Amino acid sequence: MGDHCTTDRPTPEGEVPTGELTKLGGVDVYVAKPADYPHSPSKLLLLLTGGTGIKSTNNQLQADKYAAEGYLVIMPDQFDNDPAPNTVNMAELNKDASWLETIKMKSAEGIKSFMIDMWLARHTPEKVLPILHKVIEGAKEEFADAVANGGGIYGVGYCFGAKYILILAGDHPDTVAWGQESPTDEEQGAVKKAPVIKAGAIAHGTMVTKEDLEAVKSPVYIIAVKDDPLFPEEEVLTPGRQALEKNQVDHEVQIFPGVPHGFAVYGDYDDSKIKQSQAQAYGLMLGWIQAH
C-alpha cells in the first residue's frame, strides 16, 4: 500500500465533519445523512475507505460530500479499530530489542513497511467481509427506506476499500462471498450469492486481482492511476476490463496520468493538477452512481 492509502493529506481549512460515529450491526460506523433526511427520500451508499479508516477527518468529509448529494452514507470500520500504521514510534520499538532483531530492519521506513505488511496480514477477506456483511444487514433493517428508495445499495471504495466494493459487486460462491475458503467440492460451491450492491465506483484500488474483476456483475466505474504498481494495468486492469466486456457488464474505466496513487481521497494538495483531478474523480464517481 502507498503512503496515500495510510496517511491523510492536510484537511482543507475550516471544514468540519457533520456526520456521527455510531454502531450498525454491532460494528462501528460513520453515518452521514442528507440535511432533509428522513423527510425527503434518500438512497443508501456504502463507502469503504483506504487504510486511514473511519476516524480520519478527510474520510468523514468525503462521506459528507456524498450525503450532501442526497445519499445516506454508511462508512464502516472494516479494520475493527485497527487502522493502518502511518507513523513509527521509535521509543516504543526500542523497548523490545529482540523484536527489532527479528525483523532485521534498520530504517524507520523499513519498519513502517514491515508494520504495514503485518497489518495487511491481519485484514484479509476472511476478516473484512464478515464485518461488511454485518453492517449491510444492519443497514437493511435500520435504513430500509433508503435501500428501497434506491432499489438496493450503492457502493464507492478507495484504495483498500476498492477491492471490497468489487467483491460485493460480484457473483461468488456462498462461502467466498462471506470471506471463507473457496470450496474444493464443486457441489458445495454451487450455491452463489448475487451481488450485494446495485452499482459501484472505485478509485485506485490496492490488492485488486483480475479474478475480482472477472466475478463482477453489477455496473462499475473504475478510476486508476497511469503506471500504478499497486493497480497494474497489464496484469490486472486490462484482463479485468476484457472480462467485464466479455461478461457484458456495464462499466467504464478512467485512467488519470501524472497523479499519485490515492489522489482521489479527499484532502488538500499544493499541486493544482492533482486538485483538479481529485475533483474530477469525485464528479465521475458520483455521476456513475446517480446514473444507476
Side-chain angles (χ1 to χ4, degrees):
M1 292 180 70
D3 284 343
H4 294 272
C5 299
T6 60
T7 306
D8 274 332
R9 297 295 305 169
T11 299
E13 190 175 352
E15 297 196 28
V16 179
T18 56
E20 63 172 339
L21 288 166
T22 183
K23 284 188 179 288
L24 198 59
V27 176
D28 290 336
V29 295
Y30 179 82
V31 179
K33 301 175 183 177
D36 52 359
Y37 179 82
H39 305 295
S40 295
S42 182
K43 297 178 181 180
L44 192 75
L45 177 68
L46 182 72
L47 192 162
L48 302 184
T49 72
T52 50
I54 67 168
K55 293 182 180 177
S56 153
T57 299
N58 287 351
N59 290 339
Q60 293 178 359
L61 289 169
Q62 188 115 57
D64 292 350
K65 280 172 66 71
Y66 286 105
E69 298 294 335
Y71 291 91
L72 196 160
V73 184
I74 306 295
M75 187 167 70
D77 180 11
Q78 58 200 347
F79 308 123
D80 194 20
N81 200 32
D82 179 31
N86 56 18
T87 57
V88 176
N89 186 327
M90 295 305 295
E92 287 297 315
L93 292 178
N94 282 323
K95 287 180 181 178
D96 190 350
S98 62
W99 188 73
L100 283 175
E101 288 170 8
T102 61
I103 61 174
K104 296 180 180 178
M105 292 181 179
K106 297 179 181 179
S107 69
E109 193 57 37
I111 294 171
K112 176 182 173 182
S113 176
F114 175 83
M115 291 176 72
I116 289 175
D117 286 345
M118 295 299 97
W119 177 80
L120 287 171
R122 295 196 299 272
H123 299 289
T124 61
E126 290 77 15
K127 296 291 181 64
V128 175
L129 283 167
I131 292 172
L132 297 182
H133 280 289
K134 287 178 184 177
V135 171
I136 289 165
E137 293 307 310
K140 286 179 179 178
E141 183 176 338
E142 187 162 340
F143 301 113
D145 59 328
V147 176
N149 184 57
I153 297 172
Y154 296 86
V156 293
Y158 296 84
C159 298
F160 184 101
K163 177 183 178 73
Y164 291 89
I165 290 296
L166 293 175
I167 292 175
L168 295 174
D171 184 4
H172 297 279
D174 186 33
T175 49
V176 176
W178 283 86
Q180 299 170 24
E181 289 288 332
S182 183
T184 52
D185 186 332
E186 201 170 306
E187 260 183 43
Q188 290 177 5
V191 178
K192 288 198 172 186
K193 278 191 177 293
V196 173
I197 62 171
K198 180 180 179 181
I202 68 166
H204 39 69
T206 59
M207 298 175 296
V208 173
T209 66
K210 65 184 181 65
E211 288 78 15
D212 293 332
L213 289 162
E214 287 168 352
V216 168
K217 293 292 182 284
S218 299
V220 290
Y221 197 99
I222 299 171
I223 286 175
V225 174
K226 187 169 179 59
D227 301 323
D228 183 358
L230 298 176
F231 193 8
E233 191 169 346
E234 187 174 337
E235 295 89 345
V236 178
L237 187 54
T238 296
R241 182 191 288 189
Q242 291 168 347
L244 291 168
E245 291 170 355
K246 179 182 177 183
N247 296 333
Q248 299 183 324
V249 175
D250 186 12
H251 71 283
E252 286 189 32
V253 176
Q254 180 71 42
I255 298 176
F256 282 76
V259 294
H261 179 97
F263 79 96
V265 175
Y266 196 66
D268 203 4
Y269 283 91
D270 293 329
D271 188 322
S272 60
K273 175 180 172 58
I274 300 176
K275 282 185 175 182
Q276 292 167 3
S277 296
Q278 184 184 99
Q280 184 184 355
Y282 169 73
L284 290 170
M285 294 172 75
L286 174 64
W288 180 264
I289 296 299
Q290 290 174 328
H292 290 82

